[in-house]
Amino acid sequence: MLTVALPKGRIAEETLEIFASIFGEEFKFDDRKLILETKDFKFLLVRNQDVATYVYHQAADIGVVGLDTLEEQGLDVIRLLDLKRGICKVAIGMRKGEKLDLNKPELKVATKMVNITKKYFAERAVAVDIIKLYGSIELAPLVGLADMIVDIVETGATMKQNGLEVVEEIMTSSTYLIANKNSYFEKKSEVLDIFEKISEVIDKAQ
Ligand code: PRP
């Protein structure tokens, strides 16, 4: 039996579809239930930012989560497989026409991805004032809260509609299958079996 942590929403649905196509049966959570038990799997429905936490503490053996979230949280889990879904960028955005000048003193950066932002600017030896927000990041430069943002860009529509544009891409992200380190050894055959089956589905979709 493998416990699988899935992030509520589209990624959980897509992942359950992958499981359905592998095993030829439907995997569906009842209404508001957060656990779905089948013969071989126990699926947990958690918040995206909590997937790696469940896996790190071995409350789940494996999980599915975006690389951006993994990089931000830095928890020690095994990155088993790139599912090549949920592709997006983590990028620096500024008001249209503005240029990124790393020599400017006291740059203010609004983001929900504090660690990725810290690392990016530290590697360039640039001191920045990071303002942590929890959402609607694109608003910050429009009202003078920050000079720039570090945020997820998928279609680019949110930035565009708010008069912002990407001035620098920090990383590309996609959804990953992750595993707890102990589970990987204790349940190696089960973990590798599902890894191989999911790999096949991903490769076929390419
Ligand atoms: C994410 C991200 C951007 C938007 C990017 O926000 O923070 O705001 O999606 O997508 P786009 O490039 O396709 O427009 P989310 O919907 O998670 O909301 P929040 O950041 O406000 O919580």
Side-chain angles (χ1 to χ4, degrees):
M1 168 77 82
L2 279 181
T3 303
V4 189
L6 298 175
K8 277 184 184 173
R10 193 162 45 90
I11 294 175
E13 281 163 26
E14 283 179 4
T15 309
L16 290 172
E17 277 166 23
I18 294 176
F19 274 79
S21 74
I22 292 170
F23 297 99
E25 57 176 296
E26 201 192 12
F27 295 96
K28 207 169 179 304
F29 281 87
D30 287 337
D31 195 25
R32 301 296 169 99
K33 283 192 91 167
L34 301 172
I35 296 188
L36 167 64
E37 281 200 61
T38 67
K39 189 165 59 69
D40 298 317
F41 301 101
K42 188 192 276 182
F43 295 98
L44 313 179
L45 213 47
V46 307
R47 280 290 295 266
N48 180 55
Q49 289 91 336
D50 296 331
V51 170
T53 305
Y54 277 81
V55 172
Y56 175 72
H57 293 285
Q58 214 177 4
D61 300 303
I62 60 174
V64 175
V65 65
L67 185 61
D68 54 327
T69 306
L70 286 175
E71 288 288 326
E72 178 62 21
Q73 297 180 329
L75 290 169
D76 193 11
V77 295
I78 298 176
R79 296 174 188 183
L80 279 178
L81 179 66
D82 180 357
L83 300 181
K84 298 182 179 152
R85 282 163 165 75
I87 295 167
C88 60
K89 305 245 188 239
V90 178
I92 302 178
M94 294 182 77
R95 280 185 297 186
K96 209 158 181 271
E98 289 184 355
K99 296 236 161 2
L100 179 62
D101 178 4
L102 295 181
N103 295 315
K104 206 178 145 205
E106 289 179 56
L107 288 175
K108 280 192 277 178
V109 189
T111 188
K112 56 182 164 192
M113 315 180 93
V114 170
N115 294 327
I116 290 175
T117 303
K118 263 191 201 153
K119 184 162 172 261
Y120 176 86
F121 286 102
E123 280 170 0
R124 284 154 188 82
V126 176
V128 286
D129 184 4
I130 297 174
I131 298 162
K132 163 93 182 176
L133 294 176
Y134 293 88
S136 301
I137 317 293
E138 291 83 355
L139 196 55
L142 307 183
V143 294
L145 180 61
D147 303 305
M148 65 190 76
I149 61 170
V150 169
D151 199 16
I152 302 289
V153 182
E154 204 175 330
T155 62
T158 311
M159 278 214 196
K160 194 163 180 219
Q161 289 180 28
N162 290 290
L164 304 182
E165 60 187 5
V166 170
V167 292
E168 189 82 32
E169 285 177 5
I170 296 182
M171 65 175 283
T172 299
S173 175
S174 55
T175 313
Y176 270 66
L177 179 68
I178 60 169
N180 172 276
K181 282 191 157 177
N182 293 326
S183 299
Y184 184 75
F185 292 104
E186 289 163 9
K187 301 185 178 181
K188 196 159 195 168
S189 63
E190 279 173 88
V191 173
L192 287 183
D193 186 54
I194 194 66
F195 162 83
E196 275 162 21
K197 285 175 169 143
I198 295 176
S199 295
E200 262 175 47
V201 176
I202 302 302
D203 289 346
K204 254 192 228 152
Q206 289 306 297

